[in-house]
Amino acid sequence: MARPREFDTDDALMDAMNVFWEHGYDAASLPELLTGMGLTRGSLYKAFTDKKNLFLEVLNRYEIEAVDTAVALLTTEPADGAERIEALFQSVVEAVQYGDQRGCLLCSAAAGPAAVDQDISGIVQLQLNKMSEAFYVALTQSVAHANASEQDREDIAAMLLSQYVGLRTMVRSNTSDEAIRKSVDAIVKVVGDRRSETSTSGD
């Protein structure tokens, strides 16, 4: 049954997020959105104007639900920065192991409508920049990168962002668990791990 006009906007955005997350922006049809959100066509247009505006609001909500969570993981002590980066990438492996093949809504937007729509691209770039800055913070708080120059840390942060986006996109394309795990293992080796350094220096 469709929701009455006085519906909860947050709930509707979460439902729309799930539809876009599963199907992608282009493939999420209006009937699928209406069914997933439990809204009539009139209610959806009155509240969100059109599909694109709805997606923009969903991306803003995704920033709160997912991007800010990842940023908090990367920037919150007391764990060493390299360990925080590892934890974020390991969460990708864990999601796949639990059967979550949706990947990242932001990454899907970056690879899809952001390429042709300036408004969507603007939001995507802001959120990707937030992720890159969080990687940089983690690197500045990593024993393994304590002596790296600012430029080196910026370059590594940019590399980590591209790897993260690529991995989450690969997940959506049903890449095998093993391939995802091997990629994450390689990334962890590049970033460095305080535990391995401590172990080596203590021998």
Side-chain angles (χ1 to χ4, degrees), residues 41-203:
R41 184 186 298 259
S43 293
L44 186 147
Y45 284 139
K46 181 174 182 179
F48 303 107
T49 307
D50 54 27
K51 176 182 173 181
K52 173 185 168 180
N53 192 63
L54 172 61
F55 188 62
L56 293 175
E57 293 202 34
V58 163
L59 284 177
N60 287 330
R61 182 60 184 265
Y62 187 79
E63 179 176 10
I64 297 171
E65 296 292 327
V67 176
D68 287 350
T69 299
V71 168
L73 173 61
L74 289 169
T75 59
T76 302
E77 297 181 282
D80 178 79
E83 293 175 356
R84 292 179 236 154
I85 293 170
E86 177 181 356
L88 179 64
F89 279 98
Q90 290 295 349
S91 71
V92 178
V93 177
E94 292 168 4
V96 173
Q97 291 175 337
Y98 281 108
D100 187 349
Q101 299 287 339
R102 297 177 302 173
C104 167
L105 180 61
L106 178 63
C107 301
S108 297
V116 295
D117 188 284
Q118 186 174 358
D119 295 326
I120 295 175
S121 176
I123 291 180
V124 168
Q125 290 306 313
L126 284 174
Q127 294 187 28
L128 290 177
N129 288 340
K130 181 182 284 191
M131 286 288 295
S132 182
E133 290 167 3
F135 278 123
Y136 178 83
V137 170
L139 291 167
T140 64
Q141 298 171 353
S142 165
V143 170
H145 297 270
N147 297 320
S149 69
E150 179 178 346
Q151 185 61 57
D152 283 346
R153 285 194 290 260
E154 289 179 355
D155 291 344
I156 295 171
M159 180 273 292
L160 289 171
L161 176 63
S162 65
Q163 291 296 314
Y164 183 75
V165 172
L167 273 175
R168 297 299 297 271
T169 303
M170 287 168 63
V171 168
R172 189 168 179 81
S173 66
N174 294 316
T175 302
S176 69
D177 298 11
E178 181 68 9
I180 297 296
R181 185 188 61 76
K182 287 182 177 179
S183 295
V184 169
D185 287 346
I187 292 166
V188 170
K189 288 179 181 178
V190 170
V191 172
D193 191 317
R194 183 182 64 174
R195 288 168 297 182
S196 63
E197 284 203 349
T198 303
S199 150
T200 303
S201 61
D203 288 343

Side-chain angles (χ1 to χ4, degrees), residues 25-41:
Y25 176 76
D26 292 327
S29 67
L30 180 59
E32 286 169 330
L33 285 166
L34 293 176
T35 299
M37 298 169 71
L39 296 181
T40 63
R41 184 186 298 259

